[in-house]
Amino acid sequence: MSELLAPAGNMDALKAAVSNGCDAIYLGMQRFGARAYSSNFDLESLKEAISYCHLRNVKVYVTMNTIVFQDEIQDMKEQVKLLNETGVDGVIVQDLAVFNEIVDHYMDLEAHCSTQMGIDDLEGTLFFKELGAKRVVLSREVPIEKVKEIRRKSSVPIEVFIHGALCVSYSGNCLMSGLIGYRSGNRGRCVGSCRKLYDCIDTSTNTSLGKSYILSMKDLNTIKHIDDLKGIDSLKIEGRMKEPEYVSNVVSIYRKALDGQEVDINNLNKTFNRTYTKGYMFHEDKKNITNILRPNNYGYEIGYISNYIKGKYEITLHSPLNQNDIIRIDHKNEDINLSVIKLYDEKNQLINKSNDICYIKIKEKCSIGDKVYKTKDIQYYNSLKEIKEFKRFDLDIKVYAYPQSNLIIEANGLNVQYIYQSEEILESAQNNPTGQEQIVKQFSKLKETVFQLGHVEFEGYNVFIPVKLLNQARREIVNGLYELKLKSKDRRVKEEIKKEKISFPEKKPYLTASVMNSDQYEACKEAGIETIYYQNVIRRNQNEYKEKEGELLIGGYGGIYKYKDTNPFISDYSLNVVNSASIYQLHALKAKRVTLSYEMNEKQIKDCIQAYYNENDGYPSLEMIVYGRAPLMFTNYCPLKKLNQCGNCKKKQYELKDEYGSFPIVSHEDCTTTLLNGKILNLLDEMNHIEHVEAFRLNFTIESKEETIKILQIAKEKLAGSNRSVFNQNTDTRGHFNKEIA
């Protein structure tokens, strides 16, 4: 059976999920989780959550799926140790340092590969299987047929997202929030750049294709494909930022659907949604996967403005409207949101509900024909608040009761056994001896527990058992079984394994270059750049691994698995390396050089290198990008197709523009898209001050051959010791180099 995995941003949401039938919960702590703005859990509330869930046979997974800077490594290790001790079932991780900490030290704590790792193929799955992963959360872009193939061929438990918000970029491969707003999605602090309004510009004619929410994805909804999803190990609902009622609603509907019960799937519309898509998993047309009209709660249509009479707007309904519901009126593509405090009928009488025509006062101006949407059905929301036991577990008891003896009860429940023995001695019955009927009556009072009374056996003769004693026994048995259940899981720790030290002789720094076209390639060759990344780039996502010769630049774990034994390789920035442990792991996997993340500042780079030196008695072999327009996101979605420009990318250039800047669009042959930063990362002035980095990379994207030649000459002069500043305040950025990212 597939595990139904539910989100919990707080304890109320957790109870809502368990109450409606989830099999597992995922939640975050105050640090290292990819939803930093959720309420999250501290140690005490985590312990409460684990007890609550484990008593109901619900597993608990904790997200530690952010990148971890060097000065956080010790805190990370301490948190992992605490998670193991408190009984967490698994940890969802992105950073190799966290992954290795779990796999290397703990036998009963599972390491789950987060979707932030960007695993979308069999090779990436096998890579982490070899390293010790117990589960892989695949990228949301993987089609269902490939999901099943990966599961079948790898024999690794697979988790997929089935409902909730979608990132337009491959998760973990979006730098937009961090590089523009200094709040990184890889640190759990995404500012939601994809939910903003952008103007799409045809730069070849400098004409606008219009403003829209061009990057805002619809919400994922796979309820109609539930039969196709059965058999996948874990089905994950997104929503740690969502309210408990949302969690109740979505979990309940998917639970019933998985169990083969009849369900009204339209009820999914009654809690937050941005309209729905079946997602890449079920082959949604890329043109239909975004809602570019609005990025917020869409609700569902219930009627339209049909008249204006005596200061009130008439609404013709095709779905009920209740007093205190919240509605949204779409007036010329602008939202009017209001709570329906007073609702009137055609006689101007206050009413509580209407099914056909009603009247409300609206201070904003509306127009006849404006559509009306319900964004909150108050009655339905209230029905979602109830917390109940989704399933109760049998409590089987065998009672031994004889005069002049202790009361003894053998109790079995939750797969553990508890033996109760009273302190007091039982007396003979004077009139009515206690029998099985009285035992059943008192032990059936289990409403406040997870139990229901199962099989009862009674052995006794002419004995009187006080009701008070039976109640006391019931309470002690329940608490005893609880305690045994919560202590029943092993928490074993592995012996420390001493690792071989890996270091490299220091080299005089040199330039490398990555290019996107043959003109740039020729310019680099003519300038004497020995290492050029062009046809030898293996990107992070959407790969067909073909046989390659020579040195490769590899951006994903699947590529490393495929080529590590056949080709020398450099790991790319997209592996989000920010600490010495991750560098070590990649070197151990035969990486010739490791490219540092865009999201590091100068101090973090120094700390990372020093830590590596201290741990390995020598330096790593590192590469660092010091020039170029940073790739803000790589996406399977094509914004140009959405704007009916399909094919024009071959002859025109486009960019997205907001109030802060412009972002060039690079369309690839396979209709994937890279969105670039309009500002150019320029650390050329800093190169000679950065110690123990072997290679400095120039990243050419949309530069002409002439521009490429010019930059190459400047970079060579700077590396040779030129003191002339080449940073342009108007066009350039130093990225995170002088700023700490949140």
Side-chain angles (χ1 to χ4, degrees):
M1 293 293 292
S2 299
E3 169 190 272
L4 183 59
L5 176 56
N10 54 46
M11 197 65 195
D12 288 339
L14 181 144
K15 289 181 177 179
V18 174
S19 173
N20 284 281
C22 72
D23 301 299
I25 287 285
Y26 68 102
L27 55 86
M29 300 290 284
Q30 302 296 323
R31 297 186 68 186
F32 306 118
R35 288 292 183 272
Y37 300 125
S38 179
S39 298
N40 293 317
F41 289 71
D42 58 18
L43 182 59
E44 289 309 308
S45 57
L46 175 66
K47 289 178 179 178
E48 180 188 355
I50 292 171
S51 297
Y52 188 88
C53 289
H54 282 181
L55 289 176
R56 293 159 176 83
N57 280 348
V58 172
K59 291 186 176 181
V60 177
Y61 309 130
V62 171
T63 58
M64 288 186 67
N65 53 344
T66 63
I67 53 176
V68 180
F69 291 120
Q70 195 65 47
D71 62 355
E72 300 172 316
I73 290 292
Q74 191 56 42
D75 289 347
M76 175 273 289
K77 291 180 177 182
E78 290 174 6
Q79 181 163 307
V80 171
K81 183 173 182 287
L82 277 173
L83 297 184
N84 182 64
E85 291 171 350
T86 51
V88 167
D89 297 285
V91 184
I92 305 168
V93 304
Q94 173 184 189
D95 199 303
L96 283 174
V98 189
F99 180 89
N100 287 336
E101 179 66 18
I102 296 165
V103 171
D104 291 349
H105 295 95
Y106 302 100
M107 298 175 69
D108 305 300
L109 186 63
E110 295 186 352
H112 295 185
C113 296
S114 171
T115 190
Q116 293 286 116
M117 282 183 162
I119 303 169
D120 64 347
D121 52 31
L122 175 63
E123 289 79 4
T125 305
L126 291 172
F127 176 87
F128 279 103
K129 178 182 181 179
E130 288 188 1
L131 292 183
K134 299 302 181 184
R135 179 181 294 184
V136 168
V137 188
L138 291 177
S139 297
R140 296 170 175 94
E141 291 80 0
V142 182
I144 186 66
E145 298 83 4
K146 191 173 180 182
V147 170
K148 292 180 177 181
E149 179 190 20
I150 291 169
R151 177 65 181 90
R152 185 177 70 254
K153 290 184 176 179
S154 70
S155 299
V156 173
I158 295 297
E159 183 178 305
V160 296
F161 282 88
I162 60 168
H163 196 93
L166 290 170
C167 295
V168 67
S169 172
Y170 273 87
S171 293
N173 211 6
C174 180
L175 303 174
M176 195 166 189
S177 177
L179 283 170
I180 295 171
Y182 298 100
R183 290 193 285 168
S184 168
N186 284 318
R187 299 280 292 165
R189 292 177 170 85
C190 176
V191 297
S193 301
C194 56
R195 304 297 182 188
K196 289 182 59 180
L197 194 65
Y198 293 97
D199 196 359
C200 187
I201 307 293
D202 177 350
T203 57
S204 54
T205 59
N206 200 32
T207 56
S208 170
L209 301 179
K211 289 185 177 181
S212 66
Y213 297 96
I214 188 65
L215 299 178
S216 184
M217 299 283 274
K218 295 178 180 178
D219 283 355
L220 181 63
N221 179 344
T222 64
I223 192 69
K224 292 181 180 178
H225 302 272
I226 200 70
D227 289 337
D228 227 357
L229 289 163
K230 290 177 180 177
I232 295 172
D233 301 276
S234 184
L235 307 178
K236 186 174 196 171
I237 296 165
E238 183 277 337
R240 282 195 289 135
M241 300 286 286
K242 298 293 198 307
E243 58 193 341
E245 291 83 358
Y246 174 93
V247 176
S248 288
N249 189 38
V250 179
V251 170
S252 172
I253 290 169
Y254 276 91
R255 176 77 276 158
K256 290 172 183 174
L258 279 168
D259 293 346
Q261 298 178 35
E262 192 172 326
V263 63
D264 184 355
I265 63 174
N266 291 320
N267 282 338
L268 287 169
N269 297 327
K270 294 182 178 179
T271 44
F272 187 98
N273 72 88
R274 298 180 179 91
T275 67
Y276 288 121
T277 171
K278 60 187 176 182
Y280 295 116
M281 187 158 56
F282 292 103
H283 310 287
E284 183 70 89
D285 187 330
K286 291 184 183 184
K287 195 171 181 178
N288 296 329
I289 206 160
T290 50
N291 180 346
I292 69 174
L293 296 178
R294 57 180 43 79
N296 48 10
N297 189 12
Y298 196 87
Y300 61 100
E301 189 179 338
I302 61 169
Y304 63 94
I305 301 291
S306 51
N307 209 342
Y308 183 74
I309 303 172
K310 297 180 181 179
K312 299 186 185 71
Y313 283 99
E314 178 187 85
I315 302 176
T316 297
L317 299 165
H318 53 72
S319 290
L321 180 62
N322 305 296
Q323 183 184 16
N324 295 322
D325 284 348
I326 297 176
I327 61 173
R328 174 177 67 82
I329 300 169
D330 185 355
H331 176 65
K332 297 180 180 179
N333 286 330
E334 293 290 331
D335 286 348
I336 299 170
N337 296 289
L338 66 148
S339 181
V340 182
I341 304 301
K342 292 183 178 180
L343 189 63
Y344 299 87
D345 63 14
E346 66 275 4
K347 297 178 182 178
N348 203 34
Q349 300 294 311
L350 285 169
I351 54 176
N352 296 323
K353 180 179 181 179
S354 176
N355 293 311
D356 42 30
I357 291 178
C358 63
Y359 301 84
I360 60 174
K361 292 180 180 179
I362 305 172
K363 63 181 181 179
E364 294 89 350
K365 182 174 176 56
C366 300
S367 300
I368 306 302
D370 285 353
K371 290 183 178 180
V372 180
Y373 299 81
K374 188 186 291 190
T375 55
K376 188 168 187 177
D377 183 322
I378 193 66
Q379 292 184 5
Y380 189 72
Y381 259 69
N382 288 338
S383 73
L384 296 171
K385 293 180 184 294
E386 181 186 2
I387 300 298
K388 55 191 181 300
E389 291 296 340
F390 179 77
K391 178 183 178 183
R392 292 188 183 272
F393 302 90
D394 282 347
L395 173 61
D396 300 324
I397 58 172
K398 189 169 185 178
V399 180
Y400 301 90
Y402 294 95
Q404 309 309 312
S405 297
N406 306 94
L407 172 64
I408 296 174
I409 303 175
E410 294 177 2
N412 290 277
L414 299 173
N415 296 319
V416 291
Q417 184 183 64
Y418 183 82
I419 307 296
Y420 169 83
Q421 179 173 315
S422 67
E423 292 184 1
E424 60 189 270
I425 303 298
L426 301 178
E427 302 284 343
S428 297
Q430 298 299 316
N431 296 308
N432 297 315
T434 301
Q436 183 161 324
E437 184 178 332
Q438 185 68 28
I439 301 291
V440 169
K441 180 181 178 182
Q442 297 310 125
F443 269 81
S444 295
K445 297 176 180 180
L446 294 166
K447 188 176 180 181
E448 302 304 317
T449 76
V450 302
F451 293 113
Q452 62 187 9
L453 189 60
H455 182 68
V456 177
E457 287 186 47
F458 178 72
E459 288 187 14
Y461 177 76
N462 196 38
V463 68
F464 172 70
I465 310 174
V467 169
K468 182 179 179 181
L469 180 58
L470 288 175
N471 289 338
Q472 177 187 317
R474 184 190 69 245
R475 289 190 292 269
E476 184 177 318
I477 285 168
V478 166
N479 290 331
L481 289 171
Y482 280 2
E483 189 173 347
L484 288 169
K485 172 67 176 178
L486 295 175
K487 289 182 177 179
S488 63
K489 188 166 182 178
D490 289 332
R491 296 280 98 186
R492 295 168 296 173
V493 178
K494 295 180 181 179
E495 289 186 18
E496 187 80 33
I497 299 174
K498 194 171 184 180
K499 293 187 177 182
E500 176 189 357
K501 295 181 178 183
I502 302 173
S503 63
F504 298 81
E506 287 202 82
K507 296 181 180 179
K508 184 179 179 181
Y510 55 90
L511 296 173
T512 67
S514 57
V515 302
M516 280 193 168
N517 58 54
S518 56
D519 283 346
Q520 294 167 350
Y521 179 81
E522 289 302 323
C524 292
K525 287 287 285 184
E526 292 166 9
I529 304 298
E530 293 186 7
T531 300
I532 307 170
Y533 308 120
Y534 182 28
Q535 304 290 0
N536 58 341
V537 176
I538 309 298
R539 69 187 185 194
R540 170 171 161 150
N541 297 109
Q542 296 212 355
N543 277 298
E544 293 180 8
Y545 301 111
K546 299 175 182 177
E547 295 302 316
K548 297 274 188 178
E549 292 185 3
E551 188 175 275
L552 303 176
L553 176 67
I554 300 180
Y557 295 113
I560 294 176
Y561 180 83
K562 175 66 178 178
Y563 297 108
K564 64 183 174 66
D565 296 325
T566 58
N567 297 74
F569 73 93
I570 294 89
S571 67
D572 207 358
Y573 75 90
S574 49
L575 294 181
N576 297 320
V577 173
V578 296
N579 57 62
S580 61
S582 295
I583 295 171
Y584 178 89
Q585 178 67 68
L586 289 167
H587 279 322
L589 290 162
K590 304 178 184 178
K592 182 179 175 182
R593 287 190 303 281
V594 175
T595 306
L596 295 174
S597 166
Y598 275 101
E599 299 192 306
M600 299 178 78
N601 63 31
E602 183 178 20
K603 181 180 184 302
Q604 289 163 342
I605 293 169
K606 288 180 178 178
D607 289 349
C608 179
I609 293 171
Q610 186 61 51
Y612 191 97
Y613 182 89
N614 294 343
E615 294 155 6
N616 293 278
D617 300 327
Y619 292 107
S621 178
L622 299 178
E623 187 157 326
M624 180 177 169
I625 299 168
V626 293
Y627 169 86
R629 290 173 176 83
L632 298 182
M633 62 172 65
F634 174 69
T635 173
N636 194 31
Y637 162 68
C638 179
L640 299 179
K641 183 177 182 180
K642 183 70 176 181
L643 296 174
N644 299 313
Q645 301 296 309
C646 195
N648 287 341
C649 59
K650 293 178 173 60
K651 52 191 176 184
K652 295 183 178 182
Q653 288 189 325
Y654 299 86
E655 66 182 18
L656 299 183
K657 193 171 185 178
D658 66 6
E659 65 270 35
Y660 301 111
S662 58
F663 311 100
I665 297 170
V666 177
S667 300
H668 305 293
E669 288 294 323
D670 58 358
C671 295
T672 55
T673 302
T674 297
L675 193 67
L676 300 175
N677 197 355
K679 285 214 162 189
I680 301 166
L681 177 71
N682 187 344
L683 297 176
L684 299 178
D685 288 343
E686 278 72 30
M687 276 194 301
N688 289 320
H689 309 299
I690 301 171
E691 297 181 322
H692 313 302
V693 171
E694 178 178 320
F696 293 109
R697 190 192 309 174
L698 311 176
N699 178 35
F700 297 109
T701 51
I702 60 174
E703 289 86 355
S704 65
K705 184 172 184 179
E706 292 72 24
E707 289 173 318
T708 304
I709 292 170
K710 180 181 176 182
I711 295 302
L712 286 163
Q713 185 60 38
I714 291 171
K716 290 169 72 176
E717 289 174 2
K718 292 298 296 184
L719 198 60
S722 170
N723 292 321
R724 179 173 66 91
S725 176
V726 296
F727 185 85
N728 185 327
Q729 195 75 37
N730 296 320
T731 61
D732 299 347
T733 176
R734 292 186 177 88
H736 301 299
F737 193 73
N738 295 326
K739 295 183 180 180
E740 185 168 355
I741 197 168

